[in-house]
Amino acid sequence: MLTNKKIILGVCGGIAAYKAIELMRLLTKAGAEVHVIMTRAAQEFIAPLTFQTLSSNPVHTDLFNLIAEREIGHISLADCADLFIIVPATANIIGKIAAGIADDMLTTTVMATKSPVLFAPAMNVNMFTNPIYQENEQKLRRMGYLFEAPVNGSLACGWHGEGKLAAPESVFESAVMALANKDLAGKTILITAGPTREEIDPVRYISNHSSGKMGYALARVARRRGAQVLLISGPTALANPDGVQVINVISAAEMQSEVNARVTACDVVIKAAAVADYRPVARNSTKIKKNAAVTTIDLVKNPDILAGLGGMSLRPFLVGFAAETDALAENAAKKLTEKNLDMIVANDVSQADAGFNVDTNRALLFFKDGSSRSCDLMSKDQLSMEILDQVVARLAVR
Ligand code: PMT
C-alpha cells in the first residue's frame, strides 16, 4: 500500500510517544520508508536508538548536526517527503507551527516541506479544549493541514476526556488516505459483506463461514480511493471501517431489502457477501425442544439478490463473487452470464489460505467482454486494489 512512499515521522515529547513505535511498525509493514525526527522532549520519553533500529534509518534530532546535515539535512528531508506525520502532536508543536516558529529540526523541516502534514494530537483535556489550542488547530486546518482527532478516554495526567492519542491503526488509515489516488471520488459504491443467518428458532440458525474480511477490505480500500461507500453487512466480529456508512442486517431477506432500497443511487455494487441460498420455511417462535424429535427442517430458496440487480433495466456496474470448491472458472463464467454481471471474482474456498475467514485470497477475475485476469495469493486489501483498478478502468469506458 505504501511501497516507495517516504514518510517523515515527527515524534514529540508526550507520554504517548511510545505509540509512535507502533505506528512506525504499521507504516514500514505497508512498505513505507520512514525517517524519524525527534524533538528534544521526545528523547526524554524514548531513546532515538529504538526508532533507528526499527526504521533502519538514522534518527534526526539536531538541526546543527553538521555531519547529518551534509548527508541528509532538513531541506532534503522536507523535499523527499510524500507525507509528514507528527505523533504525538503536543499543544506546543501545534502552537509553534501555527505561529510560524522554526527553531529546531522538526519545526524547520515542517516549515520547508511541500508534502501533506498529518497531526495526531495528544494532550491533557483542558489543554485540548483551551481556546488558544483550538484556534491554532483551526488555523492549521484552514491552511490544509490534516488532523487525526484525539479520542475520549483516561489520560496519563489522571484526567478523563478528549485528548487521548487516536489508535495507531486510525492514524495509519488517515496516512494511507492522505496518500491514496482518489480515482473513485464522486462515485457511490455499495458493498455487501459477511454471511447471512437464517433463523430456525430463537437459538439456532443456518449460516456459513464468511467472516466479512473480503467485503470490509473492499469498503476500506474504496473509501481510501475517494468513493462514498455503503457497506451492507451480515453479522461479523469486525470493526466498522472509518468513514464508511455501515448497515447491519441478519438475513438474506433483510439484505435484499436494504440493497434494493439503495441501489438506484449507486454507481457500483460489489456483492462479496455469502448469502444463504435457503432459509427454513418457517421460523419456530420458541426453542425447538430436544424431545420434540425434529429431524428435518423444510427449506425454501432465498431470492438471488444479485440476479435481481442484473435484471434491472438501468443498473449500476455489477461485480459478483463466486465461492467455488470445484470447476472454478466454468462455474464463475456461468454466474457472470446468468446474473448479467459486468465482472465476477472467482475464489476457491476449499484452499486454506484463500476464501473464508483468512486475511489472504487468490482469485480469477472474469469480465463481461470475455477477458479474464488472474490474481495470485495476496492480502484481501491488495486484492481489493486489483478489483477496484478494474472497476475504475471499466467505468471509464462504460
Ligand atoms: O467473508 P470472508 O471470510 O472474507 O470470505 C470471503 C468470501 C469467500 C465470502 C468471498 O470472497 C466470496 O466468495 N463471496 C461470495 C460468496 C457467495 O455467496 O458466492 P456464490 O457463488 O454462492 O454467489 C454468487 C454471487 O451471488 C455472490 O456475489 C453472492 O453475493 C450473490 N448471491 C448469492 C445468493 C443469493 N441468494 N443472493 C446473492 O446475491
Side-chain angles (χ1 to χ4, degrees):
M1 264 180 297
L2 298 178
T3 308
N4 297 328
K5 298 293 180 197
K6 288 196 176 61
I7 296 181
I8 312 298
L9 183 62
V11 184
C12 303
I15 193 71
Y18 73 96
K19 292 192 183 163
I21 297 171
E22 177 59 11
L23 175 64
M24 190 175 69
R25 201 188 60 80
L26 294 170
L27 295 168
T28 50
K29 204 171 144 208
E33 182 182 317
V34 181
H35 294 269
V36 176
I37 302 177
M38 297 181 79
T39 63
R40 191 182 297 275
Q43 296 165 62
E44 298 290 333
F45 291 88
I46 299 192
L49 189 60
T50 308
F51 286 104
Q52 185 152 313
T53 310
L54 295 172
S55 69
S56 310
N57 282 315
V59 170
H60 304 267
T61 53
D62 187 358
L63 184 58
F64 302 106
N65 181 332
L66 293 181
I67 296 171
E69 255 315 283
R70 202 178 56 221
E71 283 164 5
I72 180 160
H74 66 283
I75 297 298
S76 2
L77 272 180
D79 287 349
C80 79
D82 292 298
L83 176 69
F84 230 106
I85 311 177
I86 302 185
V87 55
T90 55
N92 180 53
I93 200 83
I94 289 167
K96 277 165 79 169
I97 293 170
I101 296 171
D103 65 350
D104 63 5
M105 184 70 182
L106 181 55
T107 48
T108 310
T109 316
V110 171
M111 188 69 87
T113 193
K114 291 240 177 252
S115 82
V117 179
L118 169 66
F119 291 99
M123 63 196 75
N124 164 271
V125 58
N126 296 331
M127 291 171 83
F128 182 69
T129 51
N130 188 311
I132 299 173
Y133 169 79
Q134 285 298 324
E135 201 173 298
N136 287 335
E137 179 179 321
Q138 289 317 316
K139 179 177 175 184
L140 290 172
R141 279 184 184 272
R142 280 196 301 276
M143 291 175 169
Y145 288 82
L146 306 168
F147 279 79
E148 178 66 35
V151 293
N152 241 291
S154 298
L155 305 174
C157 53
W159 282 76
H160 189 95
E162 241 177 329
K164 192 178 165 73
L165 183 71
E169 291 76 13
S170 302
V171 183
F172 172 78
E173 189 57 37
S174 293
V176 175
M177 273 285 288
L179 289 167
N181 181 356
K182 300 289 182 291
D183 53 4
L184 283 169
K187 302 289 180 212
T188 301
I189 304 194
L190 188 156
I191 296 167
T192 67
T196 64
R197 276 184 196 166
E198 312 301 325
E199 291 201 356
I200 298 166
D201 68 11
V203 299
R204 304 176 181 95
Y205 55 80
I206 298 169
S207 191
N208 57 63
H209 295 298
S210 173
S211 62
K213 288 181 177 189
M214 189 68 242
Y216 278 58
L218 279 160
R220 210 169 30 244
V221 172
R223 192 249 172 179
R224 282 176 194 154
R225 291 171 71 154
Q228 187 183 335
V229 183
L230 288 171
L231 177 62
I232 300 183
S233 174
T236 76
L238 304 176
N240 289 350
D242 284 345
V244 168
Q245 187 188 344
V246 182
I247 297 145
N248 293 302
V249 297
I250 306 284
S251 66
E254 282 173 31
M255 184 172 278
Q256 185 184 37
S257 84
E258 294 295 348
V259 168
N260 288 351
R262 290 169 170 80
V263 64
T264 49
C266 298
D267 301 288
V268 181
V269 172
I270 308 181
K271 285 220 75 258
V275 185
D277 289 319
Y278 292 89
R279 67 176 186 277
V281 169
R283 173 188 183 274
N284 228 67
S285 59
T286 54
K287 182 182 173 189
I288 301 169
K289 300 287 181 295
K290 200 161 40 173
N291 58 13
V294 174
T295 54
T296 57
I297 300 165
D298 288 331
L299 299 177
V300 61
K301 215 168 186 183
N302 269 329
D304 191 311
I305 306 170
L306 188 53
L309 303 183
M312 290 169 65
S313 52
L314 207 62
R315 62 167 183 71
F317 188 91
L318 287 182
V319 183
F321 269 72
E324 307 295 341
T325 54
D326 56 282
L328 185 65
E330 293 86 323
N331 288 333
K334 201 161 163 251
K335 285 176 185 171
L336 176 79
T337 314
E338 284 178 359
K339 300 191 190 206
N340 189 27
L341 309 177
D342 295 289
M343 169 177 169
I344 195 157
V345 181
N347 47 188
D348 182 345
V349 294
S350 65
Q351 297 177 10
D353 54 4
F356 290 123
N357 203 13
V358 284
D359 293 323
T360 50
N361 209 351
R362 68 167 70 68
L364 286 172
L365 314 186
F366 294 96
F367 304 96
K368 201 187 178 108
D369 61 10
S371 60
S372 64
R373 189 182 168 86
S374 167
C375 298
D376 286 339
L377 190 69
M378 58 183 78
S379 72
K380 285 184 175 171
D381 273 20
Q382 282 168 319
L383 180 59
S384 301
M385 288 289 277
E386 296 273 347
I387 293 168
L388 291 169
D389 283 351
Q390 295 301 322
V391 170
V392 168
R394 282 154 206 274
L395 270 183
V397 294
R398 199 172 182 229

